[in-house]
Amino acid sequence: MLAYTIRRVLVSIPVLLVASMIVFALSLFTGDPVQEKYAGRNPPPPPQTIANERHRLHLDDPIVVQYWNWLKNLLLHGDWGPSITSETNIGHELSHRLLVTTRLVLAAMIVALVLAVISGVLSATRQYSKLDYAFTFSGFVFLSMPAFWAAQLLKTGAVGYNEATGTRLFFTIGERSTDPPPGLWNTITDVFGHLVLPTISLALITYAGWSRFQRSSMLEVLNSDYVRLARAKGLSPRKVLLRHGLRTALIPMTTISALTIATIIGGAVITETVFQWNGMGSFLIKSIGARDRYAVMGWLLVSGFFVVVGNLVADILYGVLDPRIRYDS
Amino acid sequence: MRTRSKGLGGFVAIAAASVLAIGACGTSGGNGGDKTAQASPGFAACEAKPNSCNSGPTKAGGSIVVALEKTLPNFNIFDGDGNTFETAQVMNGLVPSPFIAQPDNSVAWNQVLLSEEPKLTNKSPQTVVYKIKKEAVWDDGSPIDAKDFQLYWKLNNGKDCKDCSPAGTTGYELIKSVEGSDNDKTVTVTFSDTYPDWQGLFGLYPQHLAGDWSTPAGLAKAYEGFKATPTWSGWAYKFADYQKDVSVTLVPNPKFWGPKPALEKITFKVVEDQAQQLPAMKNKELQMLISQPNQDMVTQVQGMAGVNYNLSKGPTWEHIDLNNKNAALKDVALRQAIFTAVNRQAIIDKTVGAFFKGAAPLNNHNIMVGAPDYKDVITATGQGAGNVAKAKEILTAAGYKIDGGKLMGKDGTAVPQLRFRYTNGNQLRQQTAELFQSQMKEIGIDVKIDPTAKLGNTLSTGDYDIIVFAWVGTPFLGGSQDLWATDGGSNYDKYSNPDVDKLLKDASKELDPSKMRQELNQADEIMAKDANVLPLYQKPVFLAVYSDYINIRNNPTNAGPTYNIEQWGLKADSVK
């Protein structure tokens, strides 16, 4: 397993390198960032300002030199390169935003996972019952609902609740209040009030897909020979369901969760935008808009890293959970 | 394109006001009735008295949260990056400036900072004297004096600090000397050449915190230092908290020598997605919005109980340009016919007119509607009226023919297809492009709409036949040369007329404001006949604020509503 893990990590390095080269080369086609930054200013910025800015962003070097310097400085000095906004430190920005997104994603994923497993199991064990139809219906509703619309509906409902009760339990923008009221309890309610809507919004959409997955996985297991054997041996239905059925049916769920979380850490773009969280997704969107080449490169490496790690974790978990799979044999 | 983020060189003062706030005042909401209702308890008087509406006594204390639509790049307002509308809104609370742009587009001298109105004491060489009040100090007690003026000049003149990247050097590069006297409380600024827009210069940063700025390296260090989160203040408020990309919180500066500000906390919160400001406003997470609005925003605010709003014509004006690089468009008759067939009112009705009753065609290239000496130079030319018959007459007289719905040139060949560019994703401009395309069909011109994602590149390389974009008007008109003169840095259309060049040059050296504007109008009349740029309309600016607050009013110049931040407050109980 260790050799397999090391091999996978080593293979991922050239993958990330090639991806970074491609993105760097593609950024050439997005236009001159300095020219676009000062587009249409009147009077136009002095030539000195434009020259200084081009120099700061290394735009006066050939593209290959630019890439090489970026890579060298990143590997040797941990320097992620200059941002189009001179005061932005890309490294700090990425680490901060990664935390913000992780907080959002993990909370949402836990909620989604719990809901998906419960509804998937109930649907499978009571296939074609009213409950199954209800879960199926709600799953498809959330699947087909555009994420931004679901988020706006939640906001409207929350604002309505606040108005009706004369309180402000729910907040619609940001991760926390700029100036929360003092006290531990107030801090907790403030964080909760900001977290609850984006969490539900992201969780509902993820839950919808996962619940369908869990249902079919569970159905497959429940109809398998060894479950039939377990029943025939006289094991209690509860034991059959939980120990023999669910345990096996969770294997594919585990893998898909690891993959999804890794991907979403790259940015829950819509949720972050609607709730104005400064996470990875909004960082990417903003960086692309500003033609902030090194910021996009930074995002690519971080999110690429998580996708690689997510894939690896999924594969390893698969090996751990499923005794039939042994990578080193 | 350029929105309200540019041209803030001299900060509050330069923040411009070529536009008179003739705007329609809004209604406080909750009725959801007449969507163009104009009366409101707070802003009803703004149309007649833009500088003094919604004013009255305040009570001590209280706080407000104001939405900003963009993050703050840094806090150096004269830096190429930091020179944004949003940064100005925050820094208005900290930076003392000799002149302040008012809501009615006038420029007022700062009576809290200066002991008397700055005087133009000599015309040749141009000399200006500022007298700073003795009690004017930075928040650490150091005096605000001539040395602050000197540092600002050196950082912005493009000569003393080559490593500095200022947003503009205009004006500062013409200053020969900045000298202090009377214990440095009197500042004498002498110019090497005439600069009529001198009132737009200077917004002070503390030189005593800038280290040794006697060398170019020291100046560059000072310049960089001013980008950092301010630990200083020379005005009514100072920083209490800054969370990057999230918020800035200001609290009163105890050393402010002017009238004590009422609000004990002002928070600027970054909400970049305009649509998200509305539920946050309704939820009272925000108490005030400053925005370039759309129909949805105006309608929703109208429905919010207890919120006053105001729409005014802003400094950003949209226009359609024809590129002289295109051989066909070099013919003035064709250009005149195109602009004559354009129906500006139809464009307005489909765009900003849908939510801004005060929207109207703009008929001058330099001076905005309502500003002194605004002159309509367009209507008499018949341009912008959508007069297809007259356009056809112009074409026929010039030897063109419309054959089978296609416009044929003087040589009998079809006028080539023209490419119309607009900023990708800008809905107002897309609608403008589509209407223009259909209006041109009437005179047989085939227009291909081709959005651009790289507007800067499109403009600088002249990669268009026709384009719609915007300029931001200011009360300081010397910059007109850059826009329209033959060698103007922003004359992307390569328009050239020696008579216009001469008039613009004369205007840029004219210290008498009235005479200057008359010269500009003369140039403008020629430009209108040449039919190179057709002004469309001024975009509205929008202010919405809960009615508990007083002394807050829309300022459609680049100074923005925080131009009088020190006067903001909660209404005194006596006026409720």
Side-chain angles (χ1 to χ4, degrees):
Chain A
M1 182 66 81
L2 181 66
Y4 172 79
T5 308
I6 292 170
R7 203 163 60 236
R8 283 286 302 272
V9 169
L10 289 178
V11 166
S12 67
I13 292 172
V15 170
L16 284 176
L17 265 180
V18 171
S20 71
M21 281 181 203
I22 293 172
V23 170
F24 204 84
L26 286 175
S27 69
L28 282 180
F29 299 101
T30 60
D32 183 327
V34 175
Q35 197 174 45
E36 294 305 319
K37 181 157 105 171
Y38 297 131
R41 289 199 187 188
N42 183 53
Q48 166 189 331
T49 298
I50 293 172
N52 286 347
E53 203 54 12
R54 292 185 65 80
H55 181 68
R56 186 180 69 78
L57 294 167
H58 310 311
L59 293 173
D60 37 11
D61 290 332
I63 183 76
V64 177
V65 176
Q66 287 180 41
Y67 179 78
W68 173 245
N69 285 340
W70 170 75
L71 191 64
K72 195 175 66 183
N73 289 334
L74 179 62
L75 295 177
L76 298 182
H77 309 294
D79 177 0
W80 293 79
S83 166
I84 189 88
T85 315
S86 61
E87 289 301 283
T88 299
N89 180 316
I90 295 174
H92 288 170
E93 198 75 9
L94 284 169
S95 56
H96 170 72
R97 286 172 178 265
L98 194 58
L99 283 177
V100 170
T101 296
T102 306
R103 182 149 57 103
L104 173 65
V105 169
L106 284 185
M109 293 303 112
I110 290 168
V111 173
L113 198 60
V114 170
L115 287 177
V117 169
I118 292 171
S119 66
V121 169
L122 288 175
S123 279
T125 51
R126 298 173 194 186
Q127 198 180 7
Y128 304 130
S129 66
K130 281 180 184 167
L131 188 70
D132 182 24
Y133 285 126
F135 280 133
T136 302
F137 177 76
S138 66
F140 280 112
V141 166
F142 294 132
L143 258 184
S144 52
M145 192 183 272
F148 72 91
W149 191 58
Q152 291 293 4
L153 279 183
L154 277 172
K155 271 193 175 188
T156 307
V159 173
Y161 174 86
N162 285 349
E163 278 185 334
T165 57
T167 60
R168 203 162 68 191
L169 180 60
F170 301 109
F171 293 86
T172 63
I173 47 169
E175 305 137 40
R176 59 193 171 86
S177 295
T178 306
D179 188 20
L184 181 64
W185 176 246
N186 287 332
T187 307
I188 292 170
T189 53
D190 185 67
V191 171
F192 173 80
H194 283 84
L195 188 62
V196 66
L197 295 181
T199 302
I200 294 173
S201 165
L202 192 57
L204 282 182
I205 290 148
T206 318
Y207 147 79
W210 284 3
S211 70
R212 305 305 301 157
F213 204 79
Q214 180 64 31
R215 179 181 180 273
S216 51
S217 169
M218 195 71 195
L219 277 174
E220 195 182 323
V221 171
L222 290 179
N223 293 323
S224 64
D225 290 341
Y226 74 91
V227 168
R228 207 169 296 129
L229 177 67
R231 286 200 190 106
K233 278 163 65 180
L235 291 176
S236 71
R238 186 184 165 82
K239 211 169 193 175
V240 171
L241 181 71
L242 295 181
R243 185 171 293 180
H244 296 270
L246 181 60
R247 198 169 162 186
T248 315
L250 278 178
I251 295 173
M253 196 61 177
T254 314
T255 3
I256 202 169
S257 308
L259 285 174
T260 311
I261 291 172
T263 313
I264 296 181
I265 279 179
V269 176
I270 294 169
T271 312
E272 285 175 14
T273 304
V274 173
F275 294 99
Q276 295 287 292
W277 281 46
N278 292 308
M280 292 292 282
S282 59
F283 181 69
L284 176 67
I285 297 294
K286 198 190 287 187
S287 303
I288 290 174
R291 293 164 172 81
D292 199 341
R293 181 183 300 172
Y294 297 108
V296 173
M297 295 292 285
W299 178 91
L300 172 87
L301 283 194
V302 171
S303 60
F305 170 80
F306 278 98
V307 170
V308 167
V309 169
N311 272 291
L312 186 61
V313 168
D315 283 351
I316 291 171
L317 281 176
Y318 211 70
V320 171
L321 295 172
D322 190 341
R324 290 170 300 183
I325 294 170
R326 286 291 173 266
Y327 293 113
D328 292 334
S329 59
Chain B
M1 163 95 251
R2 172 166 139 82
T3 58
R4 307 179 69 197
S5 62
K6 315 290 163 46
L8 296 165
F11 182 48
V12 191
I14 205 167
S18 56
V19 197
L20 190 66
I22 61 158
C25 292
T27 181
S28 66
N31 54 20
D34 179 6
K35 295 302 179 204
T36 55
Q38 304 299 305
S40 89
F43 292 134
C46 288
E47 193 164 358
K49 296 177 184 171
N51 292 355
S52 57
C53 59
N54 192 35
S55 58
T58 57
K59 64 178 177 188
S63 63
I64 189 167
V65 184
V66 183
L68 292 180
E69 282 188 3
K70 288 188 183 125
T71 55
L72 307 167
N74 64 56
F75 297 102
N76 182 339
I77 193 69
F78 49 91
D79 174 54
D81 273 357
N83 181 230
T84 70
F85 176 75
E86 285 73 20
T87 315
Q89 292 318 288
V90 174
M91 297 305 281
N92 275 345
L94 280 75
V95 175
S97 195
F99 286 89
I100 299 170
Q102 303 294 304
D104 70 350
N105 210 23
S106 61
V107 179
W109 67 279
N110 187 336
Q111 300 188 33
V112 177
L113 175 68
L114 305 173
S115 56
E116 58 183 75
E117 185 172 2
K119 283 191 188 83
L120 194 60
T121 55
N122 196 358
K123 285 195 173 177
S124 183
Q126 182 182 337
T127 308
V128 180
V129 175
Y130 302 86
K131 293 203 168 177
I132 306 167
K133 278 187 179 169
K134 288 198 170 36
E135 59 268 34
V137 290
W138 297 101
D139 66 327
D140 60 2
S142 301
I144 295 174
D145 63 23
K147 289 198 268 312
D148 299 312
F149 278 73
Q150 283 167 349
L151 176 61
Y152 197 89
W153 164 53
K154 283 178 183 286
L155 293 177
N156 283 281
N157 64 18
K159 295 171 190 163
D160 287 298
C161 178
K162 293 289 178 197
D163 289 330
C164 299
S165 303
T169 55
T170 310
Y172 300 102
E173 88 278 26
L174 296 178
I175 294 176
K176 195 165 70 182
S177 67
V178 177
E179 284 162 3
S181 57
D182 183 24
N183 210 15
D184 272 349
K185 283 289 183 181
T186 298
V187 189
T188 305
V189 176
T190 311
F191 291 78
S192 59
D193 198 357
T194 312
Y195 185 65
D197 292 340
W198 60 274
Q199 291 180 329
L201 300 175
F202 297 110
L204 304 178
Y205 277 60
Q207 64 81 25
H208 68 286
L209 299 177
D212 175 12
W213 47 271
S214 60
T215 62
L219 284 169
K221 202 174 164 196
Y223 186 92
E224 288 302 311
F226 287 144
K227 291 180 178 177
T229 310
T231 53
W232 49 268
S233 173
W235 201 240
Y237 284 90
K238 63 176 190 172
F239 270 47
D241 181 57
Y242 171 54
Q243 295 170 35
K244 190 175 181 305
D245 297 337
V246 178
S247 64
V248 172
T249 304
L250 304 181
V251 293
N253 166 15
K255 289 281 172 72
F256 182 55
W257 63 97
K260 193 173 162 19
L263 290 176
E264 62 190 19
K265 194 180 289 173
I266 298 175
T267 302
F268 292 93
K269 200 168 175 80
V270 178
V271 186
E272 291 187 285
D273 186 357
Q274 205 182 52
Q276 308 316 324
Q277 294 178 358
L278 298 166
M281 182 92 175
K282 201 170 180 197
N283 205 30
K284 297 189 176 169
E285 289 166 80
L286 301 171
Q287 278 91 40
M288 177 171 158
L289 310 177
I290 313 163
S291 185
Q292 285 202 1
N294 54 36
Q295 184 162 13
D296 184 47
M297 174 169 256
V298 175
T299 310
Q300 285 206 43
V301 169
Q302 279 174 330
M304 285 184 200
V307 175
N308 290 333
Y309 75 89
N310 176 275
L311 275 162
S312 291
K313 278 182 183 164
T316 305
W317 61 282
E318 297 275 316
H319 49 89
I320 294 175
D321 287 32
L322 305 178
N323 193 347
N324 283 274
K325 271 171 76 178
N326 181 302
L329 291 174
K330 276 198 172 128
D331 184 5
V332 68
L334 180 61
R335 295 203 303 264
Q336 286 171 341
I338 288 174
F339 282 170
T340 303
V342 172
N343 187 339
R344 291 189 297 175
Q345 193 57 52
I347 290 173
I348 289 168
D349 290 346
K350 289 273 181 186
T351 54
V352 289
F355 57 89
F356 179 38
K357 197 173 106 175
L362 173 67
N363 290 311
N364 195 296
H365 294 83
N366 296 301
I367 303 170
M368 300 294 105
V369 177
D373 296 315
Y374 169 80
K375 185 176 182 184
D376 178 353
V377 298
I378 303 288
T379 307
T381 65
Q383 293 169 25
N387 190 339
V388 175
K390 193 181 169 198
K392 284 179 178 171
E393 271 174 34
I394 295 169
L395 290 169
T396 310
Y400 290 84
K401 265 196 293 191
I402 298 176
D403 189 5
K406 276 199 164 182
L407 184 66
M408 311 301 282
K410 297 169 188 174
D411 57 359
T413 58
V415 170
Q417 186 185 56
L418 299 174
R419 246 175 5 131
F420 190 111
R421 314 295 306 268
Y422 74 91
T423 324
N424 199 13
N426 185 319
Q427 216 180 339
L428 291 180
R429 289 183 186 160
Q430 187 184 341
Q431 285 167 325
T432 303
E434 286 163 1
L435 285 163
F436 182 90
Q437 185 185 43
S438 69
Q439 289 166 3
M440 287 308 105
K441 248 187 205 157
E442 303 275 329
I443 55 170
I445 294 176
D446 181 21
V447 172
K448 183 190 172 193
I449 297 174
D450 183 11
T452 172
K454 297 184 272 187
L455 186 65
N457 184 57
T458 303
L459 287 170
S460 60
T461 58
D463 184 19
Y464 59 92
D465 297 322
I466 307 164
I467 193 163
V468 59
F469 67 105
W471 288 122
V472 181
T474 87
F476 305 108
L477 303 170
S480 302
Q481 259 190 311
D482 275 312
L483 296 176
W484 321 120
T486 301
D487 55 355
S490 305
N491 179 3
Y492 303 117
D493 306 325
K494 303 298 169 201
Y495 168 72
S496 179
N497 186 318
D499 295 335
V500 171
D501 288 352
K502 187 183 177 307
L503 284 161
L504 292 176
K505 193 175 176 190
D506 290 348
S508 74
K509 301 293 170 201
E510 180 54 65
L511 284 173
D512 178 344
S514 174
K515 209 170 163 196
M516 178 198 197
R517 289 192 290 264
Q518 280 165 22
E519 281 166 344
L520 284 175
N521 279 337
Q522 285 173 36
D524 215 0
E525 277 175 322
I526 302 171
M527 285 166 52
K529 281 178 194 149
D530 284 345
N532 198 77
V533 173
L534 180 66
L536 294 176
Y537 55 82
Q538 290 168 241
K539 287 171 84 170
V541 290
F542 185 65
L543 170 78
V545 61
Y546 274 92
S547 56
D548 311 331
Y549 296 92
I550 202 154
N551 296 334
I552 295 177
R553 57 190 76 96
N554 208 352
N555 184 332
T557 74
N558 269 339
T562 63
Y563 80 104
N564 67 337
I565 193 168
E566 71 282 1
Q567 296 167 12
W568 289 8
L570 285 167
K571 276 179 189 169
D573 295 331
S574 56
V575 292
K576 279 195 172 175

